[in-house]
């Protein structure tokens, strides 16, 4: 394997007046011409400060991850309440980080920027969770925050819908390079990407997910080839392929190809085809349960985001980064599983919580800190607001 071009921030922040400007022709993350450094030049600014910068970031990432993991009254309530909410928030996180490029928070001082955008993400999460309830059953706002019997909760019925929307916006943003929406201004392009991801999610839910609605469950029954748990596992595996190729490896090897249609077609075939094939081998041939696959793939995603974003620019070879991601994912999965198995569970399962911690707690915390918070306060303002 060759050494990949040096990494750059996953998105460059936009000034307040940039909301209507067109986005670059290609995402910065997978555009070699925009990276500004060569393998012989180890970098400057934040990248020259790795791994110290990544280790410092753990001081903020870990507390937020713990809050999401257990902050709703314990591990199980957090999985039941925060799990769906954070999953619904992820498409909005991707929109602000990758399309709006931190706007409107970028118009504020560092620190306040991340708080404003995080507030917008929370509002979007609640609204999208309400929409998810309407799609799968009926609206029950209290049920979004209270998993007690008597309410129509978002767990687990809405998770396939929320997960599909997130995987779809990542596929559109990273694998498809945002084409053709990047021709629009940042704000309309981001909104359009969010809408497209939800159209895909609604179509997939209607065509694929099988819902067996028990009496009194509040669900709307309809037939499909796969139960929601299997759809969720497939999405998690596809997400792991997305993160490996387009976050850890920065679009390698497709990013070096000159023709856009070749990059997009090949990337989609590899990511979607690889994800489906991986699931078929692990689930159908090896007989691994869907919940275990989701938790394992979630651990890979969390490890990939930690290495590809938090420690961005530290490990430069594909082989080295791949091995580190695999080892970190295995360690995360084993530690979280041991913790989960020592607890008592009623509605959720230990593997459900492992998947929640990996995907939602760790993954979201890293993206919020790096992609929206811009590493504040450990990255200097000029490092956070200018290309590397």
């Amino acid at each position: 394997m060759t050494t990949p071009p040096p990494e750059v921030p996953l998105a460059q922040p936009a000034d307040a007046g940039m909301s209507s400007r067109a986005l670059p022709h290609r995402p910065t993350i997978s555009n070699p011409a925009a990276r500004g450094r060569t393998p012989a030049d180890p970098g400057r600014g934040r990248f020259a400060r790795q791994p110290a910068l990544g280790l410092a970031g753990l001081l903020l990432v870990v507390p937020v991850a713990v809050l999401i993991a257990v902050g709703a009254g314990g591990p199980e309530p957090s999985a039941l309440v925060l799990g769906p909410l954070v999953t619904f928030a992820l498409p909005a996180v991707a929109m602000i980080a990758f399309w709006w490029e931190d706007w409107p928070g970028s118009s504020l001082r560092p620190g306040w920027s991340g708080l404003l955008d995080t507030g917008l993400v929370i509002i979007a999460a609640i609204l999208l969770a309400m929409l998810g309830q309407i799609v799968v059953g009926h609206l029950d706002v209290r049920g979004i925050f209270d998993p007690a019997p008597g309410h129509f909760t978002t767990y687990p019925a809405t998770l396939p819908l929320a997960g599909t929307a997130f995987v779809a916006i990542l596929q559109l943003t990273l694998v498809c390079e945002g084409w053709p929406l990047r021709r629009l201004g940042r704000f309309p392009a981001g909104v359009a990407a969010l809408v497209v991801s939800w159209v895909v999610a609604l179509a997939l839910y209607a065509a694929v997910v099988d819902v067996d609605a028990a009496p009194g469950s509040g669900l709307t029954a309809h037939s499909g080839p796969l139960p929601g748990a299997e759809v969720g596992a497939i999405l998690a595996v596809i997400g792991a392929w997305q993160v490996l190729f387009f976050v850890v490896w920065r679009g390698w090897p497709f990013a070096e190809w000159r023709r856009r249609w070749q990059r997009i077609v090949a990337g989609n075939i590899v990511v979607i085809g690889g994800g489906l094939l991986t699931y078929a081998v692990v689930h159908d041939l090896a007989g691994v349960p869907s919940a275990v696959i989701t938790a394992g793939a979630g651990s890979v995603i969390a490890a990939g985001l930690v290495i590809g974003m938090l420690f961005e620019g530290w490990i430069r070879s594909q082989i080295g980064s791949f091995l580190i991601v695999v080892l970190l994912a295995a360690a995360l999965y084993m530690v979280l599983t041991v913790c989960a198995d020592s607890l008592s569970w009623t509605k959720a399962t230990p593997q459900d919580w492992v998947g929640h911690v990996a995907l939602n707690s760790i993954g979201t915390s890293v993206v919020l800190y790096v992609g929206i918070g811009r590493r504040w306060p450990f990255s200097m303002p000029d490092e956070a607001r200018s290309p590397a």
Side-chain angles (χ1 to χ4, degrees):
M1 281 185 168
T2 59
T3 301
E7 295 82 348
V8 296
L10 295 185
Q12 302 302 333
D15 295 328
M18 294 178 66
S19 62
S20 60
R21 295 185 186 176
L23 287 159
H25 179 65
R26 291 174 59 179
T28 306
I29 184 176
S30 58
N31 186 358
R35 291 172 181 174
R37 287 181 288 153
T38 64
D41 177 9
R44 59 185 183 275
R46 79 177 77 183
F47 305 108
R49 297 162 55 193
Q50 293 286 20
L53 186 60
L55 292 173
L58 291 174
L59 297 175
L60 292 179
V61 170
V62 171
V64 174
V66 172
L67 179 64
I68 298 175
V70 299
E76 184 165 40
S78 298
L80 298 179
V81 175
L82 296 182
L85 274 173
V86 174
T87 307
F88 277 111
L90 288 174
V93 171
M95 177 182 68
I96 294 174
F98 299 130
W99 292 85
W100 290 0
E101 299 188 344
D102 201 23
W103 182 86
S106 58
S107 62
L108 303 177
R109 296 175 57 186
W112 292 106
S113 169
L115 291 177
L116 173 61
D117 290 335
T118 301
L120 293 177
V121 167
I122 293 173
I123 294 173
I126 296 173
L127 294 176
L128 292 176
M130 294 168 62
L131 176 59
Q133 279 189 322
I134 294 173
V135 172
V136 305
H138 65 274
L139 180 62
D140 183 350
V141 177
R142 185 173 177 180
I144 296 175
F145 307 98
D146 185 1
H151 297 288
F152 181 56
T153 61
T154 52
Y155 177 93
T158 61
L159 287 176
L161 185 65
T164 302
F166 179 55
V167 171
I169 199 170
L170 281 188
Q171 196 76 7
L172 173 62
T173 304
L174 301 179
V175 185
C176 297
E177 301 183 0
W179 184 85
L181 300 180
R182 295 182 72 85
R183 299 175 180 177
L184 306 175
R186 296 173 189 270
F187 181 79
V191 173
L194 183 63
V195 171
V196 169
S197 69
W198 263 86
V199 170
V200 172
L202 292 171
L204 186 68
Y205 181 84
V208 176
V209 179
D210 183 71
V211 180
D212 184 12
S217 65
L219 290 171
T220 300
H222 66 79
S223 60
L226 295 174
E230 290 192 28
V231 173
I234 294 172
L235 292 171
V237 175
I238 292 176
W241 281 69
Q242 289 175 331
V243 169
L244 177 62
F245 277 93
F246 288 90
V247 176
V248 179
W249 287 349
R250 294 298 193 268
W252 180 89
F254 320 111
E256 308 302 322
W257 301 358
R258 292 186 177 182
R259 297 185 181 274
R260 179 173 58 193
W261 73 267
Q262 293 177 343
R263 298 192 303 268
I264 293 176
V265 170
N268 276 277
I269 291 175
V270 170
V271 169
I272 297 177
L276 293 175
L277 180 61
T278 302
Y279 179 81
V281 171
V282 176
H283 181 266
D284 297 335
L285 297 182
V288 179
S290 297
V292 176
I293 295 176
T294 301
S299 299
V300 173
I301 293 173
L305 292 175
V306 168
I307 299 303
M309 294 186 70
L310 193 61
F311 290 92
E312 180 185 15
W314 181 33
I315 303 172
R316 295 183 175 276
S317 71
Q318 287 97 350
I319 294 177
S321 58
F322 175 77
L323 292 176
I324 293 296
V325 167
V326 170
L327 291 174
L328 180 57
L332 284 174
Y333 178 80
M334 289 187 291
V335 170
L336 292 174
T337 299
V338 170
C339 293
D341 288 340
S342 66
L343 303 172
S344 298
W345 303 89
T346 54
K347 186 175 181 179
T349 68
Q351 291 299 309
D352 291 337
W353 184 74
V354 172
H356 163 63
V357 174
L359 286 166
N360 297 326
S361 300
I362 300 175
T364 303
S365 301
V366 171
V367 176
L368 286 175
Y369 170 64
V370 178
I372 292 181
R374 306 297 173 186
R375 298 179 183 265
W376 184 87
F378 300 112
S379 186
M380 298 299 291
D382 60 334
E383 293 177 357
R385 292 187 175 277
S386 61

